Amino acid sequence: MTKIIFIGQDGSETQVEAHLGDTVMQTAVDNLISGISAECGGGCSCATCHVVVDETWIAEVGPAEDVEKDLLESLDNFSPNSRLCCQIEVTRSLDGLRVSIPA
Amino acid sequence: MSETCIIVGASHAGAQLAASLRQEGWTGRILMLGDEPHLPYNRPPLSKGYMSGEKTFQDILIRHEDAYNRHNIELRLGVTVAAIDRAAKKVVLADGERLAYDKLALCTGARVRRLPNADQENVLYLRTLNDLERIRAHAGEGRRAVVIGGGYIGLETAAALRKFGTKVTVVEAAPRVLARVTAPEMSTFYQRVHAEEGVTIITGARIAGLRGTPRAEAVNFEGGAEIEADFFVVGIGVLPNTELAEAAGLRVDDGIVTDEYARTDDPDIVAAGDCTVHPVKDYGTCRLESVSNAVEQAKAAAATICGKEKPDQSLPWFWSDQFDLKLQMAGLNTDYDRMVLRGDPAEGRSFAAFYLRQGAVIAVDCVNRPSEFVLSKKLIMQRRVIDPAMLADESRPFKEVAA
């Protein structure tokens, strides 16, 4: 199992176990993480699964591209480490990943 | 003593409501009743990536099974609710079993409108996973399909069937596809792209009936013409499932009537999703058929059950994937008095259509324009009056225009 740490809008940390091959969005939804609505179910259509990847992890996770990048850059709370977490697949190399949910 | 909340319905609204109850601090029992035998799943992919085989059933589950166990959400699937006994506060199942509730949530959804006198085995619908499996069993290289209804479900189905190499004809009664929901410019665009992708679209088609039994062989039109096909997919809209609520004496008016807190006229009963008619901020009373509506109303409903007030004031939005077109829509375009185009729908496959009323943007349809979609949501919520020439000016990034 792979651990992922979600940092909520209030700064609280929730550590959860993720299934390999799931998306980080699915992991958040399965664990009732507040602030991840994931309305389009992972279709990269709604931008309601926005997270900011911890600085120490962004190189491993990689940057947003194409549609995801366009959606993110139009959000008020965009930051250089922003990702839609429906587009991040859980792999072994992401064990310990930290992402925060922007206000 | 611990209280029980029963949720009738296990789709988008029900699944969100259960989760939101735990997030809002509900410590009592949560029991979800679903009439389908499956765990709650995302419905939109049925006519999109799941139909075409890009996704598996595990991929489209809203949550994995263990997530319900971990959060102590009980699921009873494949059960039919026969009645609500409000006086006794009990839900009555079809087999007579009576389940007591303290709070009840009606998330009964909608069902497909059926084509009259068309019970043949190859006349198919698309609402549930089982419906989809039947369609997939008929699809294939060289097979011929007639899709009856040129709304989003019909057009998405046509697009997905093309991926199997199926020959597809869409027949629509109105003079144009998507007539109920969008502007003529959008209809023209979608008709062009479907033609380019090999779909035949016939508009203004008055269907007289389907010929053949036990298998339908052709669709007959008024005037005598017919089109033969191997199977038929009907997508002519949905009807809200309001019968339980109505029989229980709750107010129903083309949907279970709720307020912005998802309250019905019974203080112990909330309702959310496609089955409801409710005030939509800035657009009046509506019945919306969408995931975002189901999710947002369910959040409001869960708060209400937990004694909090969190009105649903969300902006309606919708999406549709067909071929390489990612359509994202926000707001409702009812009563628009002007349309402004950014990009040219007559050429290429990327543009945004803004619907204005008295100078303010009230809705937008964005085709392969994710940036315009996100930024327009803000414009719409602010009811910003904006120079149409600026909206249309492609020489400036939209971020500047909307700033």
Side-chain angles (χ1 to χ4, degrees):
Chain A
M1 290 293 259
T2 305
K3 287 183 173 48
I4 295 180
I5 297 119
F6 292 95
I7 300 149
Q9 290 164 352
D10 59 358
S12 62
E13 295 193 6
T14 310
Q15 179 176 303
V16 303
E17 299 282 345
H19 301 273
L20 290 174
D22 272 1
T23 61
V24 173
M25 177 212 83
Q26 188 64 53
T27 308
V29 170
D30 277 355
N31 288 284
L32 312 190
I33 300 294
S34 289
I36 302 288
S37 278
E39 293 188 356
C40 76
C44 208
S45 286
C46 67
T48 63
C49 66
H50 178 194
V51 296
V52 176
V53 177
D54 187 90
E55 188 62 35
T56 59
W57 282 96
I58 191 66
E60 188 66 42
V61 173
E65 290 174 359
D66 304 327
V67 171
E68 183 194 349
K69 186 164 183 263
D70 289 344
L71 285 167
L72 283 166
E73 288 182 351
S74 303
L75 294 171
D76 282 344
N77 50 7
F78 168 76
S79 83
N81 292 355
S82 285
R83 289 296 310 265
L84 295 179
C85 61
C86 68
Q87 302 300 309
I88 306 174
E89 186 182 328
V90 177
T91 59
R92 280 182 213 288
S93 64
L94 293 187
D95 188 20
L97 174 67
R98 294 170 63 88
V99 299
S100 58
I101 293 145
Chain B
M1 201 183 80
S2 175
E3 290 193 304
T4 295
C5 177
I6 293 182
I7 301 170
V8 180
S11 189
H12 288 277
Q16 180 64 48
L17 211 153
S20 293
L21 277 175
R22 288 290 179 238
Q23 287 172 326
E24 295 288 355
W26 178 263
T27 55
R29 190 176 172 216
I30 300 174
L31 174 59
M32 261 172 100
L33 306 174
D35 58 353
E36 290 181 67
H38 315 290
L39 286 170
Y41 56 89
N42 285 287
R43 270 186 217 287
L46 294 183
S47 53
K48 304 180 176 81
Y50 187 71
M51 184 187 282
S52 56
E54 292 157 26
K55 294 187 170 185
T56 67
F57 183 58
Q58 284 298 312
D59 292 335
I60 69 165
L61 287 176
I62 293 177
R63 290 186 176 76
H64 290 111
E65 187 160 19
D66 63 340
Y68 297 98
N69 299 334
R70 253 182 296 130
H71 300 289
N72 209 4
I73 296 164
E74 295 172 55
L75 288 164
R76 282 186 68 177
L77 303 171
V79 295
T80 304
V81 174
I84 302 160
D85 182 343
R86 285 169 61 195
K89 294 181 73 167
K90 286 196 166 71
V91 167
V92 185
L93 300 185
D95 66 1
E97 185 178 351
R98 294 166 68 83
L99 305 168
Y101 67 82
D102 297 286
K103 300 289 180 184
L104 179 64
L106 298 175
C107 303
T108 49
R111 63 180 177 278
V112 294
R113 189 189 296 275
R114 300 187 79 84
L115 198 65
N117 308 315
D119 297 328
Q120 291 96 330
E121 63 199 25
N122 57 340
V123 178
L124 311 170
Y125 293 84
L126 182 51
R127 179 75 184 174
T128 67
L129 186 69
N130 292 356
D131 291 337
L132 187 271
E133 298 302 347
R134 279 193 282 271
I135 291 175
R136 274 217 281 221
H138 283 271
E141 185 73 37
R143 303 274 295 170
R144 300 164 303 164
V146 166
V147 174
I148 297 171
Y152 285 116
I153 291 290
L155 293 184
E156 288 182 2
T157 300
L161 288 173
R162 284 299 294 151
K163 289 199 181 165
F164 293 98
T166 302
K167 295 176 67 175
V168 187
T169 303
V170 175
V171 298
E172 165 58 46
R176 58 187 178 92
V177 300
L178 304 174
R180 186 171 67 93
V181 285
T182 194
E185 292 87 340
M186 292 294 292
S187 305
T188 304
F189 171 77
Y190 272 92
Q191 289 174 194
R192 169 172 71 83
V193 171
H194 274 264
E196 289 170 358
E197 298 286 347
V199 175
T200 304
I201 293 184
I202 301 172
T203 55
R206 312 299 301 185
I207 292 174
L210 296 177
R211 170 171 66 74
T213 183
R215 291 176 61 80
E217 290 156 18
V219 56
N220 291 111
F221 299 100
E222 290 176 9
E226 67 168 37
I227 299 173
E228 291 188 346
D230 300 305
F231 65 103
F232 302 81
V233 182
V234 182
I236 53 173
V238 294
L239 300 167
N241 292 323
T242 58
E243 288 77 4
L244 278 178
E246 195 159 15
L250 296 172
R251 200 147 60 90
V252 168
D253 181 10
D254 186 40
I256 303 168
V257 177
T258 68
D259 64 10
E260 63 265 51
Y261 300 95
R263 298 182 291 214
T264 67
D265 41 16
D266 182 322
D268 293 317
I269 305 179
V270 294
D274 287 8
C275 62
T276 65
V277 59
H278 58 102
V280 178
K281 187 174 182 291
D282 295 329
Y283 297 99
T285 297
C286 307
R287 181 167 62 79
L288 297 176
E289 297 159 5
S290 79
V291 172
S292 80
N293 176 60
V295 167
E296 297 300 332
Q297 261 192 306
K299 290 178 185 172
T304 294
I305 289 174
C306 294
K308 305 176 191 178
E309 292 197 341
K310 293 190 179 176
D312 170 20
Q313 299 183 328
S314 59
L315 177 70
W317 79 273
F318 313 85
W319 80 100
S320 175
D321 298 337
Q322 298 166 44
F323 310 110
D324 58 349
L325 310 178
K326 183 187 260 311
L327 170 62
Q328 296 162 293
M329 301 159 269
L332 303 175
N333 62 19
T334 329
D335 301 329
Y336 72 98
D337 54 30
R338 178 166 184 179
M339 165 178 275
V340 177
L341 292 166
R342 180 179 178 84
D344 184 3
E347 282 178 39
R349 297 187 176 190
S350 168
F351 66 96
F354 300 93
Y355 298 86
L356 276 62
R357 188 164 62 214
Q358 294 170 355
V361 181
I362 57 165
V364 67
D365 294 341
C366 297
V367 175
N368 294 336
R369 292 282 177 125
S371 181
E372 275 86 341
F373 169 70
V374 171
L375 294 163
S376 296
K377 280 166 76 171
K378 210 166 60 176
L379 288 182
I380 295 167
M381 284 189 283
Q382 294 168 346
R383 282 292 186 271
R384 185 108 62 87
V385 172
I386 192 160
D387 179 2
M390 277 174 59
L391 288 174
D393 182 3
E394 292 247 65
S395 70
R396 290 180 64 193
F398 197 66
K399 197 154 193 173
E400 277 180 37
V401 174

